[in-house]
Short mmCIF file of all heavy atoms in Angstrom, two decimals:
data_model
loop_
_atom_site.label_atom_id
_atom_site.label_comp_id
_atom_site.label_asym_id
_atom_site.label_seq_id
_atom_site.Cartn_x
_atom_site.Cartn_y
_atom_site.Cartn_z
N LYS A 288 96.21 -78.89 59.43
CA LYS A 288 95.54 -79.89 58.59
C LYS A 288 95.56 -79.53 57.12
O LYS A 288 95.90 -80.38 56.27
CB LYS A 288 94.09 -80.08 59.06
CG LYS A 288 93.31 -81.09 58.24
CD LYS A 288 91.89 -81.24 58.76
CE LYS A 288 91.10 -82.23 57.91
NZ LYS A 288 89.70 -82.38 58.41
N HIS A 289 95.19 -78.31 56.78
CA HIS A 289 95.08 -77.93 55.38
C HIS A 289 96.33 -77.23 54.85
O HIS A 289 96.68 -77.38 53.67
CB HIS A 289 93.88 -77.00 55.18
CG HIS A 289 92.57 -77.59 55.59
ND1 HIS A 289 92.12 -77.52 56.89
CD2 HIS A 289 91.64 -78.27 54.90
CE1 HIS A 289 90.94 -78.13 56.97
NE2 HIS A 289 90.63 -78.60 55.78
N GLY A 290 96.98 -76.44 55.70
CA GLY A 290 98.07 -75.59 55.24
C GLY A 290 99.42 -76.27 55.11
O GLY A 290 100.09 -76.14 54.08
N LEU A 291 99.83 -77.00 56.14
CA LEU A 291 101.16 -77.59 56.11
C LEU A 291 101.38 -78.56 54.95
O LEU A 291 102.47 -78.57 54.35
CB LEU A 291 101.47 -78.27 57.45
CG LEU A 291 101.67 -77.34 58.66
CD1 LEU A 291 102.11 -78.15 59.87
CD2 LEU A 291 102.68 -76.24 58.37
N PRO A 292 100.40 -79.40 54.57
CA PRO A 292 100.63 -80.29 53.43
C PRO A 292 100.93 -79.55 52.13
O PRO A 292 101.58 -80.12 51.23
CB PRO A 292 99.31 -81.08 53.33
CG PRO A 292 98.76 -81.07 54.72
CD PRO A 292 99.12 -79.71 55.25
N ARG A 293 100.47 -78.31 51.99
CA ARG A 293 100.73 -77.56 50.76
C ARG A 293 102.23 -77.29 50.58
O ARG A 293 102.70 -77.15 49.44
CB ARG A 293 99.96 -76.24 50.77
CG ARG A 293 98.45 -76.41 50.79
CD ARG A 293 97.74 -75.07 50.75
NE ARG A 293 96.31 -75.23 50.94
CZ ARG A 293 95.58 -74.58 51.84
NH1 ARG A 293 96.17 -73.67 52.62
NH2 ARG A 293 94.29 -74.79 51.96
N ILE A 294 102.96 -77.20 51.69
CA ILE A 294 104.40 -76.91 51.59
C ILE A 294 105.11 -78.05 50.87
O ILE A 294 106.05 -77.83 50.10
CB ILE A 294 105.00 -76.69 52.99
CG1 ILE A 294 104.24 -75.57 53.73
CG2 ILE A 294 106.47 -76.32 52.88
CD1 ILE A 294 104.69 -75.37 55.18
N HIS A 295 104.68 -79.26 51.11
CA HIS A 295 105.27 -80.43 50.44
C HIS A 295 105.14 -80.31 48.92
O HIS A 295 106.10 -80.56 48.18
CB HIS A 295 104.59 -81.70 50.94
CG HIS A 295 104.89 -82.92 50.13
ND1 HIS A 295 106.14 -83.55 50.14
CD2 HIS A 295 104.13 -83.65 49.25
CE1 HIS A 295 106.12 -84.58 49.34
NE2 HIS A 295 104.93 -84.67 48.78
N TYR A 296 103.95 -79.91 48.45
CA TYR A 296 103.75 -79.76 47.01
C TYR A 296 104.57 -78.60 46.45
O TYR A 296 105.11 -78.69 45.34
CB TYR A 296 102.26 -79.53 46.71
CG TYR A 296 101.42 -80.76 46.91
CD1 TYR A 296 100.55 -80.87 47.99
CD2 TYR A 296 101.48 -81.82 46.01
CE1 TYR A 296 99.76 -82.00 48.17
CE2 TYR A 296 100.70 -82.95 46.17
CZ TYR A 296 99.84 -83.04 47.26
OH TYR A 296 99.08 -84.16 47.43
N LEU A 297 104.67 -77.51 47.21
CA LEU A 297 105.46 -76.36 46.77
C LEU A 297 106.91 -76.76 46.57
O LEU A 297 107.56 -76.35 45.59
CB LEU A 297 105.36 -75.23 47.81
CG LEU A 297 106.23 -74.00 47.56
CD1 LEU A 297 105.85 -73.31 46.26
CD2 LEU A 297 106.11 -73.03 48.74
N ARG A 298 107.43 -77.58 47.47
CA ARG A 298 108.82 -78.00 47.37
C ARG A 298 109.10 -78.81 46.11
O ARG A 298 110.24 -78.90 45.65
CB ARG A 298 109.21 -78.83 48.61
CG ARG A 298 110.12 -78.08 49.58
CD ARG A 298 110.69 -79.03 50.62
NE ARG A 298 109.65 -79.66 51.39
CZ ARG A 298 109.14 -79.17 52.52
NH1 ARG A 298 109.60 -78.01 52.99
NH2 ARG A 298 108.19 -79.81 53.17
N LYS A 299 108.07 -79.41 45.54
CA LYS A 299 108.24 -80.21 44.33
C LYS A 299 108.54 -79.34 43.12
O LYS A 299 109.07 -79.83 42.12
CB LYS A 299 106.99 -81.05 44.06
CG LYS A 299 106.78 -82.20 45.03
CD LYS A 299 105.57 -83.04 44.61
CE LYS A 299 105.41 -84.26 45.49
NZ LYS A 299 104.28 -85.12 45.04
N THR A 300 108.18 -78.08 43.16
CA THR A 300 108.45 -77.18 42.03
C THR A 300 109.90 -76.73 42.07
O THR A 300 110.58 -76.83 43.10
CB THR A 300 107.54 -75.94 42.07
OG1 THR A 300 107.96 -75.08 43.14
CG2 THR A 300 106.09 -76.33 42.27
N LYS A 301 110.36 -76.24 40.93
CA LYS A 301 111.73 -75.76 40.84
C LYS A 301 111.77 -74.24 40.74
O LYS A 301 112.63 -73.66 40.06
CB LYS A 301 112.43 -76.40 39.63
CG LYS A 301 112.56 -77.91 39.75
CD LYS A 301 113.24 -78.52 38.55
CE LYS A 301 113.35 -80.04 38.69
NZ LYS A 301 114.00 -80.65 37.51
N ALA A 302 110.83 -73.60 41.44
CA ALA A 302 110.79 -72.13 41.44
C ALA A 302 112.04 -71.57 42.09
O ALA A 302 112.57 -72.13 43.06
CB ALA A 302 109.55 -71.65 42.20
N ALA A 303 112.53 -70.45 41.56
CA ALA A 303 113.72 -69.80 42.12
C ALA A 303 113.45 -69.31 43.53
O ALA A 303 114.34 -69.35 44.39
CB ALA A 303 114.15 -68.63 41.22
N VAL A 304 112.24 -68.83 43.77
CA VAL A 304 111.82 -68.41 45.11
C VAL A 304 110.52 -69.11 45.45
O VAL A 304 109.53 -68.99 44.73
CB VAL A 304 111.64 -66.88 45.20
CG1 VAL A 304 111.03 -66.49 46.55
CG2 VAL A 304 112.97 -66.16 45.00
N LYS A 305 110.53 -69.85 46.54
CA LYS A 305 109.33 -70.53 47.05
C LYS A 305 108.99 -69.89 48.39
O LYS A 305 109.86 -69.79 49.27
CB LYS A 305 109.59 -72.03 47.21
CG LYS A 305 109.81 -72.75 45.88
CD LYS A 305 110.07 -74.23 46.04
CE LYS A 305 111.51 -74.51 46.42
NZ LYS A 305 112.46 -74.19 45.32
N PHE A 306 107.73 -69.45 48.54
CA PHE A 306 107.38 -68.71 49.75
C PHE A 306 106.08 -69.20 50.37
O PHE A 306 105.25 -69.84 49.71
CB PHE A 306 107.33 -67.21 49.47
CG PHE A 306 106.18 -66.74 48.62
CD1 PHE A 306 105.02 -66.22 49.19
CD2 PHE A 306 106.25 -66.79 47.23
CE1 PHE A 306 103.97 -65.76 48.42
CE2 PHE A 306 105.20 -66.33 46.43
CZ PHE A 306 104.05 -65.82 47.03
N LEU A 307 105.92 -68.88 51.65
CA LEU A 307 104.71 -69.22 52.40
C LEU A 307 104.00 -67.95 52.81
O LEU A 307 104.63 -67.03 53.34
CB LEU A 307 105.06 -70.03 53.66
CG LEU A 307 105.97 -71.24 53.51
CD1 LEU A 307 106.17 -71.90 54.87
CD2 LEU A 307 105.44 -72.23 52.50
N SER A 308 102.70 -67.90 52.59
CA SER A 308 101.87 -66.82 53.13
C SER A 308 101.04 -67.42 54.25
O SER A 308 100.02 -68.08 54.01
CB SER A 308 100.97 -66.24 52.04
OG SER A 308 100.10 -65.26 52.60
N ILE A 309 101.49 -67.24 55.48
CA ILE A 309 100.82 -67.81 56.64
C ILE A 309 99.82 -66.76 57.14
O ILE A 309 100.03 -66.06 58.12
CB ILE A 309 101.84 -68.22 57.71
CG1 ILE A 309 102.86 -69.18 57.09
CG2 ILE A 309 101.16 -68.88 58.89
CD1 ILE A 309 103.95 -69.64 58.04
N GLU A 310 98.73 -66.64 56.40
CA GLU A 310 97.72 -65.61 56.68
C GLU A 310 96.38 -66.04 56.12
O GLU A 310 96.31 -66.39 54.93
CB GLU A 310 98.14 -64.27 56.06
CG GLU A 310 97.17 -63.15 56.37
CD GLU A 310 97.52 -61.86 55.65
OE1 GLU A 310 98.36 -61.89 54.73
OE2 GLU A 310 96.93 -60.82 55.99
N PRO A 311 95.32 -66.06 56.91
CA PRO A 311 95.36 -65.79 58.35
C PRO A 311 95.91 -66.98 59.13
O PRO A 311 95.56 -68.13 58.84
CB PRO A 311 93.88 -65.57 58.68
CG PRO A 311 93.14 -66.43 57.70
CD PRO A 311 93.94 -66.35 56.43
N LEU A 312 96.76 -66.71 60.09
CA LEU A 312 97.29 -67.77 60.95
C LEU A 312 96.22 -68.10 61.99
O LEU A 312 95.87 -67.27 62.82
CB LEU A 312 98.57 -67.29 61.63
CG LEU A 312 99.23 -68.23 62.63
CD1 LEU A 312 99.50 -69.60 62.01
CD2 LEU A 312 100.53 -67.62 63.16
N LEU A 313 95.71 -69.33 61.93
CA LEU A 313 94.55 -69.72 62.74
C LEU A 313 94.89 -70.58 63.95
O LEU A 313 94.01 -70.83 64.79
CB LEU A 313 93.53 -70.45 61.87
CG LEU A 313 92.98 -69.67 60.67
CD1 LEU A 313 92.01 -70.53 59.88
CD2 LEU A 313 92.31 -68.38 61.13
N GLU A 314 96.13 -71.07 64.03
CA GLU A 314 96.52 -71.89 65.18
C GLU A 314 98.03 -72.00 65.23
O GLU A 314 98.73 -71.60 64.30
CB GLU A 314 95.91 -73.30 65.07
CG GLU A 314 96.42 -74.11 63.90
CD GLU A 314 95.80 -75.50 63.83
OE1 GLU A 314 95.03 -75.86 64.74
OE2 GLU A 314 96.08 -76.23 62.86
N ASP A 315 98.54 -72.52 66.33
CA ASP A 315 99.97 -72.77 66.45
C ASP A 315 100.34 -73.89 65.49
O ASP A 315 99.77 -74.99 65.54
CB ASP A 315 100.30 -73.17 67.89
CG ASP A 315 101.79 -73.28 68.14
OD1 ASP A 315 102.57 -73.18 67.16
OD2 ASP A 315 102.18 -73.49 69.30
N LEU A 316 101.29 -73.64 64.61
CA LEU A 316 101.66 -74.62 63.59
C LEU A 316 102.69 -75.64 64.07
O LEU A 316 103.01 -76.58 63.34
CB LEU A 316 102.21 -73.89 62.35
CG LEU A 316 101.22 -72.97 61.63
CD1 LEU A 316 101.92 -72.28 60.46
CD2 LEU A 316 99.98 -73.72 61.16
N GLY A 317 103.21 -75.45 65.28
CA GLY A 317 104.20 -76.38 65.77
C GLY A 317 105.48 -76.29 64.96
O GLY A 317 105.86 -75.22 64.46
N GLN A 318 106.16 -77.42 64.80
CA GLN A 318 107.39 -77.44 64.03
C GLN A 318 107.07 -77.50 62.54
O GLN A 318 106.28 -78.34 62.10
CB GLN A 318 108.24 -78.66 64.41
CG GLN A 318 109.65 -78.65 63.84
CD GLN A 318 110.51 -77.51 64.38
OE1 GLN A 318 110.32 -77.09 65.52
NE2 GLN A 318 111.44 -77.03 63.57
N ILE A 319 107.68 -76.61 61.76
CA ILE A 319 107.43 -76.52 60.32
C ILE A 319 108.68 -76.95 59.56
O ILE A 319 109.79 -76.51 59.89
CB ILE A 319 107.05 -75.08 59.91
CG1 ILE A 319 105.98 -74.51 60.83
CG2 ILE A 319 106.61 -75.03 58.46
CD1 ILE A 319 105.77 -73.01 60.67
N ASP A 320 108.51 -77.77 58.55
CA ASP A 320 109.63 -78.13 57.68
C ASP A 320 109.82 -77.00 56.67
O ASP A 320 109.05 -76.88 55.72
CB ASP A 320 109.34 -79.45 56.98
CG ASP A 320 110.51 -79.91 56.09
OD1 ASP A 320 111.51 -79.17 56.00
OD2 ASP A 320 110.40 -80.99 55.49
N LEU A 321 110.82 -76.18 56.90
CA LEU A 321 111.08 -75.02 56.05
C LEU A 321 112.18 -75.27 55.03
O LEU A 321 112.63 -74.34 54.37
CB LEU A 321 111.45 -73.81 56.92
CG LEU A 321 110.34 -73.27 57.83
CD1 LEU A 321 110.89 -72.19 58.74
CD2 LEU A 321 109.18 -72.72 57.01
N SER A 322 112.58 -76.52 54.85
CA SER A 322 113.64 -76.81 53.88
C SER A 322 113.18 -76.43 52.48
O SER A 322 112.06 -76.72 52.06
CB SER A 322 114.01 -78.29 53.93
OG SER A 322 112.89 -79.11 53.66
N GLY A 323 114.04 -75.74 51.75
CA GLY A 323 113.74 -75.33 50.39
C GLY A 323 112.86 -74.11 50.27
O GLY A 323 112.48 -73.73 49.16
N ILE A 324 112.53 -73.46 51.39
CA ILE A 324 111.68 -72.26 51.38
C ILE A 324 112.56 -71.03 51.50
O ILE A 324 113.47 -70.98 52.33
CB ILE A 324 110.65 -72.31 52.54
CG1 ILE A 324 109.79 -73.57 52.43
CG2 ILE A 324 109.79 -71.05 52.53
CD1 ILE A 324 109.03 -73.71 51.13
N GLN A 325 112.28 -70.01 50.69
CA GLN A 325 113.11 -68.80 50.66
C GLN A 325 112.48 -67.58 51.34
O GLN A 325 113.15 -66.56 51.50
CB GLN A 325 113.45 -68.43 49.21
CG GLN A 325 114.50 -69.31 48.56
CD GLN A 325 113.97 -70.65 48.12
OE1 GLN A 325 112.87 -70.74 47.59
NE2 GLN A 325 114.75 -71.69 48.32
N TRP A 326 111.21 -67.68 51.73
CA TRP A 326 110.55 -66.48 52.28
C TRP A 326 109.30 -66.91 53.03
O TRP A 326 108.58 -67.82 52.58
CB TRP A 326 110.19 -65.53 51.14
CG TRP A 326 109.69 -64.17 51.52
CD1 TRP A 326 110.01 -63.44 52.62
CD2 TRP A 326 108.78 -63.36 50.77
NE1 TRP A 326 109.37 -62.22 52.61
CE2 TRP A 326 108.62 -62.15 51.48
CE3 TRP A 326 108.11 -63.54 49.56
CZ2 TRP A 326 107.78 -61.13 51.02
CZ3 TRP A 326 107.28 -62.53 49.10
CH2 TRP A 326 107.13 -61.33 49.82
N VAL A 327 109.01 -66.24 54.16
CA VAL A 327 107.81 -66.53 54.93
C VAL A 327 107.13 -65.23 55.33
O VAL A 327 107.76 -64.31 55.87
CB VAL A 327 108.13 -67.35 56.21
CG1 VAL A 327 106.89 -67.52 57.07
CG2 VAL A 327 108.69 -68.72 55.83
N ILE A 328 105.82 -65.14 55.04
CA ILE A 328 104.98 -64.00 55.42
C ILE A 328 103.97 -64.49 56.46
O ILE A 328 103.41 -65.57 56.32
CB ILE A 328 104.21 -63.45 54.20
CG1 ILE A 328 105.15 -63.12 53.06
CG2 ILE A 328 103.36 -62.24 54.59
CD1 ILE A 328 104.43 -62.98 51.71
N VAL A 329 103.73 -63.70 57.50
CA VAL A 329 102.73 -64.05 58.50
C VAL A 329 101.81 -62.85 58.72
O VAL A 329 102.26 -61.70 58.74
CB VAL A 329 103.37 -64.46 59.84
CG1 VAL A 329 102.29 -64.72 60.90
CG2 VAL A 329 104.21 -65.71 59.67
#
């Protein structure tokens, strides 16, 4: 509910590296749209 929508806003930036900090992971996120993401931390 709160976390996945943030990825959409991150993709709007033109940062050289766009990353996700999935911490604390509180539930199964299902399918994630990882297009345009360069790094994931859990």
Side-chain angles (χ1 to χ4, degrees):
K288 179 180 179 180
H289 301 86
L291 290 186
R293 297 182 187 127
I294 304 175
H295 168 71
Y296 288 107
L297 175 62
R298 253 192 300 270
K299 289 184 175 183
T300 72
K301 296 180 181 179
V304 172
K305 294 180 279 292
F306 70 98
L307 309 181
S308 176
I309 305 178
E310 183 186 13
L312 177 55
L313 301 178
E314 65 180 356
D315 187 353
L316 297 178
Q318 190 66 30
I319 312 168
D320 182 358
L321 294 173
S322 59
I324 302 302
Q325 285 77 41
W326 188 31
V327 174
I328 306 163
V329 176

